Each structure stands twice: as C-alpha cells, then as structure tokens.
Amino acid sequence: MIELSYSEIAAAMAGTLIVAAGETGETLVSGEAQTDSREVQPGQLFFARRGEGTDGHLFAGKAVRAGAALLIVERELGAADLGFADAASPVSQIVVADTTAALGALATLVVHRLRERGALTIVGITGSNGKTTTKNLVAAMAETLGPTVASEKSFNNEVGGPITMLRTTAETETLVAEMGASATGEIARLTAMAQPHIGVVLSVGLAHAGEFGGIEATFRAKSEMVKSLDASGVAVLNRDDPRVVQMAELTPARVLWFGQHPEADVRATDIESSAAGTTFTIHHGDETRAVRFHVLGEHHVMNALAAAAIGLTLGLSLDAVVDVLEAATLAAPGRMQVLGGRDGITIINDAYNASPDSMSAAIRTLAQIKKPAGRTVAVLGAMTELGSLTIEEHLRIGLQVVRLGIGQLVVVGRDARHLHISAINEGSWDGESAFFETQDEAFAYLTETLRADDTVLVKSSNSAGLQALGDRLGEAYV
C-alpha cells in the first residue's frame, strides 16, 4: 500500500480515529490489508469483518500479537477485548460503521491516487468462466514490463478485490484485477474502486445464473465492466460470444475483439488438442505465430487469446506474448491439473469450480485426449448456483457424457444425482454409470476399477469438494 497517515485513512472511510499511546493522527502506515488474522504480518492493517459464521473482532487480539499496526473495527476494542492486561489498547483503531465498506473506501483512495499519478495501468477481467486463468496469463505478461500486482487465488469480490488493490505501491506499474459477481451491481462497485483502463469480458454463461436470476441478468451484470470504461479505454471482448458482442454498443471505449471469428483482431486457427496441451496459430494484423500452449483443454485457447489481446494493448510484441503463453504449464491449481502417471493412468483435476459451460468443455477435452489403449472416466460432482436451471443442466451434462462415448461415469454426491439418472436413461449402459454419496466410496471404487492407460477427469463446483478427491487420486497413481 502507498504510505498514508492514520488521519487520511480515517477520513477516507468516514471513521473515528482512536490513537494508541505514542502515536498521532500523522503516524504513517504502508502495510497491506488483511481480514484473516492468520495472514497478518507486522505493519499491516487488520479489518475486523463480521461474517456469517464468525466475527473478526474476536480475532483482533491475535492480529495485534502478529504485528498489526492498525485495527479497523465496528466498535472500540479495549485492552481486555484484545487479551492484554493493560488498561488501554496497544494499537490504534479506526471505528467505522461497516468494515467491508471501509475496506473498499480505502482501496478507492489508494488506487485513485496512483491512477492520478499516471504510472499505473489497471486491467479489469470478468466473465462467467476463465477469469483466473486469464488473470494469471496477463499478470505473467505484465511482469515482463514492470512491477505488477494481480489478484491472488480467486480474490474477485467485495473483499478480495480491495485486498488486491491495497497491495499496490508507488512502484506498481500494472494492476490486474479479477472482478467477479453473483449479483447485479457488484462489478460496478469494483470498477468504481479501480477504474480500469482495459476491461475484459470473457463470456456470458450460466455460472451463478441462479443467483443472478437468469442469463439476461448475468448479461447486465457483466456489462458493468464495459460501461465503466471511458473513451480512452479499451474493451477486450469475445467475438465468438453473441451476448458479449452486444456489449460493444454499451461502451465508449475502443473495442478489441478476440476469438476464432474471422473478424477478431486477435484470433486463433488450426486448433489441435492432445494430452500435452493445445497447439494453435495466433493472428494479429499481418502477424502470425504458431503456439504450443501446454495448458490442457481447447477451451483455454479463448483465455489465451484474451490474455494476448491485453498483452498487446499493454505494449508487448506478439513474440513476447507467445513466449509467455508457451511458458505457461498450468491454468491454476485444480484447473485442468494433470496428475498421476503410474501405469499410464492420467488424473485431470479440474474441480476447483464448475459451470455448465466449463463442465461441457472439460468433458469434450476428455473425449479428445483418450489414449488408444485406455478408457475415459468422468468423475463428476454437482454444479452449484444454477437456481431453477439446476436439474435441467445436470440432465444435459449426463446426456453429453453418454453421447461423447465416455467410458465410465462416476457421480459423487446427492446434489449431482441427476447426472447419473440422465446417463442411465439415455441408453444401453450396463454399469458404465456409478453413483456414490461420499468421496471415500468413490475413491475406493475408482482405485479398484481403474485400468492402465485410463484418463480420468475430476470435475465439480468448488463447494462440492471434489478437488480433494482429484488430489487424492493423483497421489494414489504417482
């Protein structure tokens, strides 16, 4: 974070400053922000958020003992509240009405100051699928140009977004911010904190459709990204997604298209998938390059194209962009992560998250990379946050598994049972679909029945927890 005084921070979040002994309103702090006391390091700010299951105020004392320089709280905490015997708190505090809102207010102050200096370029990335993969690729490209801050993990909401923004310093040249949403208005709030110079929309799909209230509501929410751009900005849009194409009419920014469509400014042809990754030819203007992209799954080519469009906008040459793409080996942990290897058995752990679009794409990849002597095995769990579409979409994926000729379907968890029912109803399977309520049961079945050269896909929404099963299978077949 840039260096700020306690008084400046309190003013930004409309809070009341209570200074500890030996400090004043002019005391300076530049540490990062944390909402988890376990992550606090000396000199950082601790925001005591109230969650559904806990209250950050209960862990403020732990944050102080870890070295927190300043507490942002919703009620003044005395020494006893913090677990100290002294009469007064050993750390200064700012009392605010809402610590989550205060976190966003501070992020807004810091990013706007850096933006006004003209040295910081902000990239905002949203879409129903592919945000984290694209963010990681863009960050790798930006780092070749200078100091870069990018969202960690999937820090893309009202908490993770500001925490990422508050990692910027006076030396930061590029901020790559993943901006997710589960309701209308959330992306607008994030873009108000960090007004992007480059705004990216990857897709409009069914991820979180249940929370949004349908695909049209998802479209409106994702459109908030391009609406936040001014005439000097660049909107990087998916030319292959009809709903994203409509967003070109909603932004004053210059539009840069990516995709396989002939009209895309950055496009791919000659796409071929294998167990080693994907090869394709990238085109930009009159330039053409062959790319060996080691990230598994043809659907990740679109993420690579989006990242390439951003990298070119940042000033990289096409050769430099290709160098970064070819150096990437993993989209992110739990995303098409190749594990195992013993007896030729390959485990693809793609259970970090799932939507109908990403589930369908992963199953197509599984069918494409089948080894001649082995089977394809799909280990699938529930896709969440689909609302009224839940049953319909699980039934559709079950049909796809059968129609693509996947050799074995293993469905895990009661919420995913419609996948199993759909596969059975589709046709003449005799035991090719198995259902288990627990991961332990599925693991036991798989370790008893997997054969040499089998290729296994493990896929579910994060809340279904199958990433742990994928990791467990990977360890079993090392």
Side-chain angles (χ1 to χ4, degrees):
M1 189 179 78
I2 61 174
E3 193 171 62
L4 295 170
S5 70
Y6 289 174
S7 293
E8 288 177 299
I9 295 172
M13 55 185 65
T16 301
L17 175 63
I18 302 170
V19 293
E23 297 185 330
T24 70
E26 300 310 307
T27 299
L28 299 174
V29 63
S30 60
E32 296 176 12
Q34 299 290 354
T35 60
D36 186 336
S37 62
R38 296 168 296 183
E39 302 293 328
V40 172
Q41 297 181 18
Q44 294 186 340
L45 288 68
F46 177 69
F47 286 74
R49 293 184 63 247
R50 297 179 189 271
E52 292 183 5
T54 188
D55 183 348
H57 295 77
L58 300 175
F59 301 94
K62 183 177 179 180
V64 172
R65 284 185 285 276
L70 180 65
L71 301 180
I72 292 81
V73 295
E74 294 177 5
R75 65 175 188 273
E76 182 179 355
L77 299 178
D81 297 314
L82 299 172
F84 292 91
D86 297 337
S89 168
V91 175
S92 295
Q93 304 175 40
I94 298 175
V95 182
V96 298
D98 184 322
T99 51
T100 300
L103 180 65
L106 182 58
T108 302
L109 171 66
V110 168
V111 176
H112 282 214
R113 284 200 181 179
L114 289 172
R115 205 177 190 278
E116 289 169 0
R117 295 176 187 176
L120 179 66
T121 298
I122 302 168
V123 180
I125 300 173
T126 195
S128 296
N129 299 291
K131 292 184 294 296
T132 300
T133 301
T134 305
K135 175 259 298 180
N136 290 343
L137 292 170
V138 172
M141 292 179 189
E143 285 168 356
T144 67
L145 298 172
T148 298
V149 168
S151 307
E152 296 179 345
K153 303 175 184 176
S154 291
F155 280 14
N156 60 23
N157 61 10
E158 63 180 354
V159 177
I163 286 176
T164 298
M165 297 170 200
L166 289 171
R167 289 172 44 221
T168 56
T169 69
E171 288 70 44
T172 305
E173 295 184 13
T174 308
L175 168 62
V176 185
E178 185 179 332
M179 297 182 176
S182 56
T184 302
E186 292 182 1
I187 292 174
R189 282 192 288 274
L190 291 169
T191 58
M193 295 177 200
Q195 297 172 323
H197 298 88
I198 304 170
V200 187
V201 183
L202 299 168
S203 61
V204 176
L206 292 175
H208 307 294
E211 294 183 339
F212 280 117
I215 194 70
E216 293 306 320
T218 304
F219 168 81
R220 290 192 294 273
K222 302 303 181 185
S223 297
E224 293 167 8
M225 173 64 76
V226 299
K227 290 177 180 178
S228 74
L229 303 172
D230 60 28
S232 66
V234 179
V236 178
L237 302 179
N238 183 347
R239 185 62 181 82
D240 296 357
D241 187 317
R243 290 188 174 86
V244 177
V245 170
Q246 295 176 39
M247 295 183 189
E249 301 175 359
L250 304 178
T251 182
R254 174 172 68 90
V255 173
L256 185 65
W257 299 106
F258 68 91
Q260 298 181 52
H261 194 283
E263 294 178 2
D265 300 292
V266 180
R267 64 189 180 94
T269 60
D270 307 319
I271 300 173
E272 294 185 10
S273 294
S274 71
T278 310
T279 61
F280 62 95
T281 301
I282 189 170
H283 305 262
H284 177 242
D286 295 330
E287 294 186 285
T288 299
R289 300 287 187 277
V291 181
R292 290 186 174 274
F293 192 45
H294 300 291
V295 177
L296 188 63
E298 182 177 315
H299 53 294
H300 283 304
V301 172
M302 293 301 289
N303 302 327
L305 292 174
I310 299 165
L312 292 165
T313 302
L314 291 173
L316 273 72
S317 67
L318 187 58
D319 284 335
V321 164
V322 171
D323 285 345
V324 172
L325 294 179
E326 293 194 331
T329 57
L330 178 64
R335 290 178 170 88
M336 301 304 282
Q337 185 173 8
V338 179
L339 305 169
R342 177 166 60 84
D343 299 328
I345 296 173
T346 301
I347 310 296
I348 303 169
N349 192 357
D350 195 32
Y352 182 85
N353 222 332
S355 68
D357 294 334
S358 67
M359 182 80 85
S360 179
I363 294 168
R364 288 197 305 272
T365 297
L366 177 63
Q368 290 169 348
I369 65 174
K370 177 182 181 295
K371 299 173 186 176
R375 301 174 303 161
T376 49
V377 180
V379 183
L380 307 181
M383 301 176 288
T384 58
E385 301 176 350
L386 294 177
S388 62
L389 298 172
T390 298
I391 293 176
E392 175 186 342
E393 290 302 319
H394 283 82
L395 291 173
R396 185 178 66 82
I397 293 296
L399 292 177
Q400 182 188 24
V401 169
V402 177
R403 291 172 180 175
L404 287 177
I406 301 302
Q408 173 75 62
L409 173 63
V410 177
V411 178
V412 186
R414 186 179 297 273
D415 291 341
R417 191 178 180 89
H418 282 95
L419 288 166
H420 176 60
I421 294 170
S422 177
I424 292 173
N425 289 342
E426 175 61 7
S428 59
W429 275 22
D430 181 16
E432 286 94 342
S433 182
F435 171 77
F436 301 99
E437 293 211 1
T438 71
Q439 290 189 33
D440 285 343
E441 291 172 320
F443 179 80
Y445 174 80
L446 287 162
T447 52
E448 290 173 2
T449 59
L450 286 181
R451 309 168 189 168
D453 291 327
D454 281 353
T455 303
V456 183
L457 169 70
V458 183
K459 180 75 172 170
S460 73
S461 286
N462 193 29
S463 59
L466 262 63
Q467 187 174 357
L469 176 60
D471 288 338
R472 190 176 175 190
L473 286 168
E475 292 173 2
Y477 289 96
V478 171

